[in-house]
Amino acid sequence: MIETVLSIGLPIDERLEIKKNRIVPLTPLTGEEKRISIVTGTHGDELEGQFICYELGRRINKDIIHLKGIVDIYPALNPMGIDSITRGIPAFDLDMNRIFPGSEDGSMMEHIAAKLVADLDGSAACVDIHASNIFLTEIPQIRISEETAERLVPLAREMNVDLIWVHGAATVLKSTLANSLNTIGVPTLVVETGVGMRITREYGERVTDGIFRLMKKLGLWDGETAECKEPMISDRPEDVSFLNAPVSGIFLPRVKHCARVKQGDVVGEIVDPLRAEVLNVLKAPCDGLVFTIREYPVVDEGSLIARILGGVAE
Amino acid sequence: MKKEVLYELKALYRDNMRINCRKFGSGEKAAVIVAGVRGNEVQQIYTCGMLVKRLQELEKHGKVTKGQSILVVPAINPYSVNIEKRFWPTDNTDINRMFPGYNLGETTQRIAAGLFEEITGYRYGIHLASNYIPGQFVPHIRVMDTGWDYIEEALDFGLPYVVKRKPHPYDTTTLNYNWQIWETMSFSLFTNQTDTIDTEGAEEAVNAILYFLSNKGIINYSGEPGCVSSLVTEGELLPIKSRAAGIFRPLAETGEQVAQGAVIAEILHPYDCSVKAKIHSPVNGTVFFRQQKSLAYANAVLFRIIPQK
């Protein structure tokens, strides 16, 4: 059943509507059912979640007999952004994932944020799907703050991702949807997978498999689920090395995403096309797995080039 | 006055981005004034420029107190200003959400870190700021309430209002908040324009800053206070919203006293300009904020009014 979570008038003959697909079991509802919420599309240029929402809905509908709880799928928290290829909220130049938990009395977008949090409140779990941005490609991973790790890591293990990355509390952004939901007691997993403006079907299928496993763990699904691989878990800051551009230029990668590198291997070069010069040769600071790689060639000094998970070299 | 480059970033094709400053006096780091963290803050840059002009005159006449130094940074983000983009040109990040910065991090984290290192350690920090919702304000000082109570100090600007604000989650990465954490008494100064220059508003802001610096013994300035400031909390700023969307026709100016029930705006139907809704003031009070846009979105905050006490 398609439900309108909120509807707000725009100046000329249009409404901003955020919708969800509520899928319920065939048996009559008792009111005691658990609910899982799948949200994506906070950033209008992150599209990996579009396939996951479609695929999840398709598979549940096909085997709905196995559904034992409520599934709410929100494919577009920022519908104007998705439909206009805009990362933030069009017309407001705001990053939607920096205004939570919002406020009923606040601006229009803060009001929307507050309504969304209220609608998601009460879920047994929430999966918030992101796709990095147009600059970086990511392996399927879940990012968790240190303070919620004890509660969330057991759930994240079900999600069929390659990596569970536990962050230090100081680096957690307080104004995200996930942080706001975790704060009010809705266990929320942030999935980062793939790259902005594209859909990586293989990753999408894996994450969808993971959501079914999570639903089974929570008692919302009693059908078959796919086997999942044991994720790598990184919970020490020193596990992950960051490689940032020391100079501005054009980045030419020398390794592929997910490559296993040795310390000192060339990850790529930053070149100056005007002078036909190599400005910098970027080398791996440690042995490990390149789980994030720069996709967009133009780099400023400081632009992230790669993240390497240490200790995973062959 | 000394001119210095506080931070420089080399680009691929563009000229280097330089964060310039002007330094007055010498000795104890007394006050730092910054502007132009976002690319559309033209009024704030102009105001800072006018402040530099006045400080030059004062310094020439020996009116900067001996042993006190003042740093002015008129444009933190020239790269965005020059291409008329509000946020960082490539990744659209907001430098004012990157403080205290990280010198090994992403570009705007590095800029924030490089700048922050230069502008910390001062007794007072003044940020000529703009709100994330574009609009006109009654000139005021905003102080973040982190538990360090120095709000009375803000009355020394002599602007109409001092607003005390409880930090929201997104405030923790702003310059104002982080100055406080690093023990600088920080103030955000808002005037009634951002994208366009309002010379009267700029002059009012410059006079307020000079008056403040004089009150703190940093300069010797004989100006008068603009007014006796009223202290309000953010919660007292009554939001006025519209349930209807359409063309916004404001009928009240910022600073105007409005009576309870007075019509302060109309929302017009875009196709025939008929009145879809009238916006009434629910209280007797002063219009503190008015949105800039000519279009009204449903549920958007069109005004904020300070109720009469």
Coordinates of all heavy atoms in Angstrom, one line a residue, chain A residues 34-65:
Chain A
K34 N 6.1 -6.3 14.4 CA 7.3 -5.5 14.3 C 7.3 -4.8 13.0 O 6.8 -5.3 12.0 CB 8.5 -6.4 14.5 CG 8.8 -6.7 15.9 CD 10.2 -7.4 16.0 CE 10.6 -7.8 17.4 NZ 11.7 -8.7 17.4
R35 N 8.1 -3.8 12.9 CA 8.2 -3.0 11.6 C 9.6 -2.7 11.4 O 10.4 -2.3 12.3 CB 7.4 -1.7 11.8 CG 7.6 -0.7 10.7 CD 6.5 0.4 10.8 NE 6.5 1.1 12.1 CZ 6.9 2.4 12.2 NH1 7.3 3.1 11.2 NH2 6.8 3.0 13.4
I36 N 10.0 -2.9 10.1 CA 11.4 -2.5 9.7 C 11.2 -1.4 8.6 O 10.3 -1.4 7.8 CB 12.2 -3.7 9.1 CG1 13.7 -3.2 8.9 CG2 11.6 -4.2 7.9 CD1 14.6 -4.4 8.6
S37 N 12.1 -0.4 8.7 CA 12.0 0.7 7.7 C 13.3 0.8 6.9 O 14.4 0.7 7.5 CB 11.8 2.1 8.5 OG 10.6 2.1 9.1
I38 N 13.1 0.9 5.6 CA 14.2 1.0 4.7 C 14.1 2.4 4.1 O 13.1 2.7 3.4 CB 14.1 0.0 3.6 CG1 13.8 -1.4 4.1 CG2 15.4 0.0 2.7 CD1 14.8 -2.0 5.1
V39 N 15.1 3.2 4.3 CA 15.1 4.6 3.8 C 16.3 4.9 2.9 O 17.3 4.3 3.1 CB 15.0 5.7 4.9 CG1 13.8 5.4 5.8 CG2 16.3 5.7 5.7
T40 N 16.0 5.7 1.9 CA 17.1 6.1 1.0 C 16.7 7.4 0.3 O 15.6 7.9 0.4 CB 17.5 5.0 0.0 OG1 18.8 5.3 -0.6 CG2 16.4 4.8 -1.1
G41 N 17.7 7.9 -0.6 CA 17.3 9.1 -1.3 C 17.4 10.4 -0.5 O 16.7 11.3 -0.9
T42 N 18.1 10.4 0.6 CA 18.3 11.6 1.3 C 19.1 12.6 0.4 O 18.9 13.8 0.4 CB 19.0 11.4 2.6 OG1 18.6 10.2 3.2 CG2 18.9 12.5 3.6
H43 N 20.1 12.0 -0.2 CA 20.9 12.8 -1.2 C 20.4 12.4 -2.6 O 20.5 11.3 -3.0 CB 22.4 12.5 -1.0 CG 22.9 12.9 0.3 ND1 23.7 12.1 1.2 CD2 22.8 14.1 0.9 CE1 24.0 12.8 2.2 NE2 23.5 14.0 2.1
G44 N 20.0 13.5 -3.3 CA 19.4 13.2 -4.6 C 20.3 12.6 -5.7 O 19.8 12.1 -6.7
D45 N 21.6 12.6 -5.4 CA 22.5 12.0 -6.4 C 23.0 10.6 -6.1 O 23.8 10.0 -6.7 CB 23.7 12.9 -6.6 CG 24.6 13.1 -5.4 OD1 24.1 12.7 -4.3 OD2 25.7 13.7 -5.5
E46 N 22.4 10.0 -5.0 CA 22.8 8.7 -4.6 C 21.7 7.7 -5.0 O 20.6 7.8 -4.4 CB 23.1 8.7 -3.1 CG 24.2 9.5 -2.7 CD 24.5 9.5 -1.2 OE1 24.0 8.6 -0.5 OE2 25.3 10.4 -0.7
L47 N 21.9 6.9 -5.9 CA 20.8 6.1 -6.5 C 20.9 4.6 -6.2 O 20.0 3.9 -6.6 CB 20.8 6.4 -8.0 CG 20.7 7.8 -8.4 CD1 20.8 8.0 -9.9 CD2 19.4 8.5 -7.9
E48 N 22.0 4.1 -5.6 CA 22.1 2.7 -5.4 C 20.9 2.2 -4.6 O 20.4 1.0 -4.9 CB 23.4 2.4 -4.6 CG 24.7 2.8 -5.2 CD 25.2 1.9 -6.3 OE1 24.5 0.9 -6.6 OE2 26.3 2.1 -6.8
G49 N 20.3 3.0 -3.7 CA 19.2 2.5 -2.9 C 17.9 2.4 -3.7 O 17.0 1.7 -3.3
Q50 N 17.9 3.0 -4.9 CA 16.7 2.8 -5.8 C 16.5 1.4 -6.2 O 15.4 0.8 -6.1 CB 16.8 3.7 -7.0 CG 16.9 5.2 -6.7 CD 15.7 5.7 -5.8 OE1 14.6 5.5 -6.2 NE2 16.0 6.2 -4.7
F51 N 17.6 0.8 -6.6 CA 17.5 -0.6 -7.0 C 17.1 -1.5 -5.8 O 16.3 -2.4 -5.9 CB 18.8 -1.1 -7.6 CG 18.8 -2.6 -7.9 CD1 18.1 -3.1 -9.0 CD2 19.5 -3.5 -7.1 CE1 18.0 -4.5 -9.2 CE2 19.4 -4.9 -7.3 CZ 18.7 -5.4 -8.4
I52 N 17.8 -1.2 -4.6 CA 17.5 -2.0 -3.4 C 16.0 -2.0 -3.0 O 15.4 -3.0 -2.7 CB 18.5 -1.6 -2.3 CG1 19.9 -1.9 -2.7 CG2 18.1 -2.3 -1.0 CD1 21.0 -1.3 -1.8
C53 N 15.5 -0.8 -3.1 CA 14.0 -0.6 -2.7 C 13.2 -1.4 -3.7 O 12.2 -2.1 -3.3 CB 13.6 0.8 -2.8 SG 14.3 1.8 -1.4
Y54 N 13.5 -1.3 -5.0 CA 12.7 -2.0 -6.0 C 12.8 -3.5 -5.8 O 11.8 -4.3 -5.7 CB 13.2 -1.7 -7.4 CG 12.9 -2.7 -8.4 CD1 11.6 -2.8 -8.9 CD2 13.8 -3.6 -8.9 CE1 11.2 -3.8 -9.9 CE2 13.5 -4.6 -9.8 CZ 12.2 -4.7 -10.3 OH 11.9 -5.6 -11.2
E55 N 14.1 -4.0 -5.6 CA 14.3 -5.4 -5.5 C 13.7 -6.0 -4.2 O 13.2 -7.1 -4.2 CB 15.9 -5.7 -5.6 CG 16.3 -7.1 -5.6 CD 15.8 -7.9 -6.8 OE1 15.2 -7.4 -7.7 OE2 16.1 -9.1 -6.8
L56 N 13.8 -5.3 -3.1 CA 13.3 -5.7 -1.9 C 11.8 -5.9 -2.0 O 11.2 -6.9 -1.6 CB 13.6 -4.7 -0.8 CG 13.1 -5.0 0.6 CD1 13.8 -6.3 1.2 CD2 13.4 -3.9 1.6
G57 N 11.1 -4.9 -2.5 CA 9.7 -4.9 -2.7 C 9.2 -6.1 -3.6 O 8.3 -6.8 -3.3
R58 N 10.0 -6.2 -4.7 CA 9.7 -7.3 -5.7 C 9.8 -8.7 -5.0 O 8.9 -9.5 -5.1 CB 10.6 -7.2 -6.8 CG 10.3 -8.1 -8.0 CD 11.5 -8.1 -9.0 NE 12.7 -8.8 -8.5 CZ 12.9 -10.1 -8.5 NH1 11.9 -10.9 -8.9 NH2 14.0 -10.6 -8.0
R59 N 10.9 -8.9 -4.3 CA 11.1 -10.2 -3.7 C 10.0 -10.5 -2.6 O 9.6 -11.6 -2.4 CB 12.5 -10.3 -3.1 CG 13.6 -10.4 -4.2 CD 14.8 -10.9 -3.5 NE 16.0 -10.4 -4.1 CZ 17.3 -10.6 -3.6 NH1 17.4 -11.1 -2.4 NH2 18.3 -10.1 -4.2
I60 N 9.7 -9.5 -1.8 CA 8.7 -9.7 -0.7 C 7.4 -10.0 -1.3 O 6.7 -11.0 -0.9 CB 8.6 -8.5 0.2 CG1 9.9 -8.2 1.0 CG2 7.5 -8.6 1.2 CD1 9.9 -6.9 1.8
N61 N 7.0 -9.3 -2.3 CA 5.7 -9.5 -3.0 C 5.6 -10.9 -3.5 O 4.6 -11.6 -3.5 CB 5.4 -8.5 -4.1 CG 5.1 -7.1 -3.5 OD1 4.7 -7.0 -2.3 ND2 5.4 -6.1 -4.3
K62 N 6.7 -11.4 -4.1 CA 6.8 -12.7 -4.7 C 6.6 -13.8 -3.6 O 5.9 -14.8 -3.9 CB 8.1 -12.9 -5.4 CG 8.3 -14.1 -6.2 CD 9.5 -13.9 -7.1 CE 10.2 -15.3 -7.4 NZ 11.3 -15.5 -6.6
D63 N 7.1 -13.6 -2.4 CA 7.0 -14.6 -1.4 C 6.4 -14.1 -0.1 O 6.8 -14.3 1.0 CB 8.4 -15.1 -1.0 CG 9.0 -16.0 -2.1 OD1 8.3 -16.8 -2.6 OD2 10.2 -15.8 -2.3
I64 N 5.3 -13.4 -0.3 CA 4.7 -12.6 0.8 C 4.2 -13.5 1.9 O 4.1 -13.1 3.1 CB 3.6 -11.6 0.3 CG1 3.3 -10.6 1.4 CG2 2.4 -12.4 -0.2 CD1 3.0 -9.3 0.9
I65 N 4.0 -14.7 1.6 CA 3.5 -15.7 2.6 C 4.5 -15.8 3.8 O 4.1 -16.1 4.9 CB 3.3 -17.1 2.0 CG1 2.5 -18.0 2.9 CG2 4.5 -17.7 1.5 CD1 1.9 -19.2 2.3

